[in-house]
Amino acid sequence: MSGTDALAGRLRLEPARGVSRQKVEDALFRGATKAFAIGVLLLLLAVLVSLVVGSLPAIRKFGLTFLWDQSWNPVKDLFGGLPAIYGTLVTSAIAMLVAVPVGLGVALFLTELCPPWAKRPIGVLVELLAAIPSIIYGIWGLFILAPVLQLTVQPFLVDVLGPIPILGALFAGPPLGLGILTAGFILAFMVLPFIAAVTRDVFQTVPAVLRESAYGIGATTAEVVRDIVIPYTRVGIVGGVMLGLGRALGETMAVTFVIGNAHHVSTSLLAPGTTISATLANEFTEAVDELYTSSLIELGLILFVITFIVLAAAKFMLMRLERRSAR
Amino acid sequence: MTLYGKRRITNYVVLTLSLAATAAGLLVLFLILGALLWYGIPALKIMTFTAMTPPPGNTPGGLLNPIFGSLVITAAATALGTPIGILTGTFLAEFGRGTWVAPAVRFVNDILLSAPSIVIGLFVYEMMVVPMGHFSAWAGVVALAIIVIPVVVRTTENVLVLVPSSLREAAIALGAPRWKVIVAVTYRAAIQGMLTGVMLAVARIAGETAPLLFTALNNQFWSSNLNGPMANLPVVIFQFALSPYANWQVLAWGGAALITFTILILNILARWVASRGSFQQ
């Protein structure tokens, strides 16, 4: 009894108060939480609406040609989004190419290979990598990674892959250090911890019985992963990768530091380029006339729509896996 | 070679590659932290904390005004975003069952959690900077608060659903109104987890640069006026690192080290608080 008395004391219940008053207070509290929840819902809509409204002048002037026009000339008021859209997609593709296999490797290590006492500390270190802000990756990429790539990896790529037809076009030109390739690498380091953490969690949803049965009939660890873990979690892995892709597409500061900020489309990965987010970071505060600002906002709208689609797809896939493992 | 030998070698190769991947990931972490210590620590002299940012050229200076600005903006954004996040998380965990709103909010919240922060900056620019006619620290505060909200919503919901229903039922059986059950019993049981969420949110916004670029902007001078542009560490690092002046670059490294180690300490503290909570995830 004393337990409930203490609880009643903490709640400061006053029996004299009317039940109807309690009901009003309850409805108010519930209403307040619901109002804020709906506010969060409307926030996303408000972002979309404000971006559409802000980009109307540019949409009216350039129409759909904005998507494939290469010009970017603030003096003549000619704007096309292609270089930024191209840079965004290519840097993210490079990032995924590097980060997905490495991230899967880390997840594999953490779930199958790592001794139990080291699981937590290594997992925490990987998560700390995710906590480092974008701008720190940027300053590190500019002063440390770019010079190293310029002196080692890039000359190697130019020498070895440069002479090969077609593939060589990707590695043409001088090794500048700053450019699309370096930006892709920095993005890879940034999304690696996200992919590793999500796939690790996803790998852990595999029922122990399945795994143990496979080991029981003599499968090696690699075979268990290839034939049991990966097929079982395929949807979740794709979801985790898409989550990483969503991050990579919108990443701003790290890319702005190392991409070189040039508004042209170049087949060479060593050439400087730009991304949507880097263009916004560099030019938005300097844009004075309406069409310039509006074109930049339209770029932001395009980025928002692309990341929304990618993130929504990721969410659906992870939800599918969750529902299955809950069954 | 026998089939068994081949399988063993494949297994060995795969496991070595996975070990190498992990080593590479950790190597990047240590290389970044090493660079921050190497270039950043020498920049953290007493003057860095007592002097204002220097003008262009080789005049000595410090980071006092951006450190102050960052503290003010981060604190205000946390104060604004946390209650909204907690109430929304409460709705999802306590009242959301069976409604159409809850799944929709959960979905949108997860999108906001990963949405590009620069787009949030654009949104606040359109909503606040344009109508007000000038950049202001308040706009920066709102932009960062929008980033705080989804983090707090997520952790609040996750920790509230872990509180055993028997606790709630005991309080309800005593005749307590629902709101009192939540505030005095559920929150009390989940406080460590909720605190963790807030700390992670602070760590998340402490280094955010992109949403501040077109909102709080920057200020070369001391300013405690939230209604105007205000200096802040991330934007100062951005400007100084890309400048040609050696002393500006040194200060940028100092600021970078300051931010990173604050964030790492916050993250580790948050984990420690979470591990002391009564209900762990």
Side-chain angles (χ1 to χ4, degrees):
Chain A
M1 250 347 256
S2 68
T4 38
D5 282 347
L7 188 56
R10 197 198 288 161
L11 291 167
R12 286 196 207 85
L13 298 177
E14 296 151 46
R17 268 209 208 159
V19 175
S20 60
R21 183 165 164 190
Q22 278 190 7
K23 274 193 175 154
V24 172
E25 287 170 349
D26 259 1
L28 275 178
F29 185 73
R30 192 197 161 100
T33 62
K34 192 170 183 176
F36 280 111
I38 290 175
V40 170
L41 206 61
L42 292 180
L43 188 60
L44 195 79
L45 206 65
V47 173
L48 189 67
V49 169
S50 83
L51 290 179
V52 170
V53 169
S55 51
L56 272 182
I59 294 174
R60 246 181 242 134
K61 176 96 191 277
F62 305 116
L64 278 177
T65 53
F66 188 81
L67 293 178
W68 54 81
D69 191 35
Q70 276 207 47
S71 54
W72 192 264
N73 193 334
V75 182
K76 288 186 182 162
D77 252 358
L78 287 175
F79 300 100
L82 186 66
I85 298 170
Y86 170 84
T88 303
L89 298 180
V90 172
T91 49
S92 295
I94 297 172
M96 289 295 119
L97 227 54
V98 178
V100 170
V102 179
L104 286 178
V106 174
L108 171 60
F109 176 82
L110 285 173
T111 47
E112 305 289 334
L113 199 59
C114 188
W117 57 266
K119 262 184 194 168
R120 204 173 138 69
I122 294 181
V124 169
L125 285 177
V126 172
E127 281 161 24
L128 286 185
L129 196 59
I132 295 178
S134 177
I135 189 161
I136 307 300
Y137 281 93
I139 189 172
W140 183 76
L142 177 68
F143 288 110
I144 316 272
L145 183 69
V148 170
L149 287 181
Q150 186 179 15
L151 294 177
T152 57
V153 177
Q154 293 189 348
F156 173 79
L157 289 173
V158 172
D159 289 345
V160 177
L161 300 175
I164 305 171
I166 302 173
L167 190 65
L170 289 177
F171 303 102
L176 298 170
L178 300 182
I180 289 185
L181 187 71
T182 311
F185 277 151
I186 282 283
L187 279 182
F189 296 147
M190 293 198 64
V191 296
L192 167 67
F194 287 101
I195 294 179
V198 176
T199 42
R200 175 197 58 187
D201 294 346
V202 154
F203 280 0
Q204 279 165 352
T205 62
V206 178
V209 175
L210 273 184
R211 205 175 283 181
E212 283 157 13
S213 322
Y215 279 120
I217 56 169
T220 62
T221 307
E223 286 161 352
V224 170
V225 170
R226 193 191 63 199
D227 298 327
I228 307 292
V229 176
I230 291 181
Y232 187 87
T233 55
R234 198 180 295 124
V235 196
I237 295 173
V238 176
V241 168
M242 305 269 273
L243 207 61
L245 178 61
R247 292 261 171 174
L249 289 166
E251 215 28 89
T252 308
M253 300 321 292
V255 176
T256 309
F257 272 93
V258 296
I259 196 156
N261 303 309
H263 271 285
H264 58 81
V265 176
S266 165
T267 48
S268 174
L269 298 180
L270 304 182
T274 191
T275 66
I276 293 177
S277 48
T279 307
L280 286 171
N282 277 315
E283 299 180 25
F284 195 77
T285 43
E286 288 160 19
V288 272
D289 73 296
E290 196 198 0
L291 197 62
Y292 194 179
T293 310
S294 170
S295 302
L296 288 168
I297 294 177
E298 188 176 352
L299 280 179
L301 176 66
I302 294 168
L303 175 65
F304 187 67
V305 171
I306 298 176
T307 47
F308 180 86
I309 294 169
V310 170
L311 292 172
K315 180 78 183 131
F316 275 123
M317 286 175 170
L318 289 170
M319 264 160 47
R320 257 175 69 185
L321 183 80
E322 232 168 73
R323 225 174 290 145
R324 192 173 62 184
S325 61
R327 233 187 272 153
Chain B
M1 193 193 292
T2 60
L3 180 61
Y4 180 60
K6 250 192 224 163
R7 288 174 56 206
R8 276 187 55 176
I9 288 175
T10 316
N11 190 39
Y12 186 72
V13 170
V14 169
L15 295 184
T16 312
L17 285 177
S18 111
L19 179 68
T22 312
L26 297 184
L27 181 69
V28 170
L29 176 67
F30 289 123
L31 282 178
I32 293 176
L33 296 183
L36 286 169
L37 287 173
W38 184 259
Y39 294 103
I41 298 298
L44 295 177
K45 296 167 293 193
I46 301 209
M47 193 179 175
T48 309
F49 299 95
T50 55
M52 304 292 161
T53 45
N58 266 327
T59 346
L63 294 169
L64 178 61
N65 44 339
I67 290 174
F68 171 76
S70 270
L71 286 176
V72 170
I73 293 175
T74 307
T78 313
L80 181 64
T82 304
I84 301 176
I86 286 183
L87 284 175
T88 306
T90 307
F91 174 78
L92 293 181
E94 303 281 338
F95 304 116
R97 212 171 301 149
T99 61
W100 64 270
V101 185
V105 171
R106 215 169 275 136
F107 181 79
V108 164
N109 192 65
D110 277 2
I111 302 267
L112 284 176
L113 204 57
S114 299
S117 56
I118 193 150
V119 172
I120 307 285
L122 274 183
F123 168 64
V124 175
Y125 174 86
E126 290 270 292
M127 300 308 281
M128 288 185 73
V129 177
V130 172
M132 286 165 82
H134 57 85
F135 296 101
S136 78
W138 280 123
V141 167
V142 171
L144 292 184
I146 293 178
I147 296 170
V148 167
I149 293 170
V151 182
V152 176
V153 171
R154 189 54 161 322
T155 40
T156 304
E157 188 198 354
N158 285 352
V159 73
L160 287 186
V161 296
L162 291 177
V163 175
S165 302
S166 53
L167 265 182
R168 291 187 191 104
E169 285 158 9
I172 291 170
L174 287 170
R178 197 68 200 275
W179 71 271
K180 239 178 194 180
V181 175
I182 291 168
V183 174
V185 178
T186 320
Y187 282 173
R188 215 184 157 102
I191 189 73
Q192 275 99 347
M194 290 160 73
L195 192 62
T196 306
V198 176
M199 291 170 81
L200 289 177
V202 173
R204 173 83 196 276
I205 60 169
E208 274 293 351
T209 318
L212 295 176
L213 286 172
F214 345 119
T215 52
L217 205 65
N218 194 3
N219 194 334
Q220 204 190 318
F221 307 104
W222 173 269
S223 165
S224 55
N225 175 16
L226 281 160
N227 215 7
M230 198 185 240
N232 57 84
L233 271 179
V235 178
V236 167
I237 295 172
F238 179 47
Q239 265 183 12
F240 280 20
L242 288 172
S243 78
Y245 311 111
N247 67 324
W248 275 22
Q249 291 182 1
V250 170
L251 281 175
W253 275 109
L258 209 58
I259 284 191
T260 311
F261 290 109
T262 310
I263 289 172
L264 293 186
I265 289 168
L266 265 174
N267 261 280
I268 291 164
L269 271 182
R271 270 159 231 280
W272 179 72
V273 169
S275 71
R276 294 193 42 193
S278 351
F279 311 104
Q280 283 177 30
Q281 302 190 22

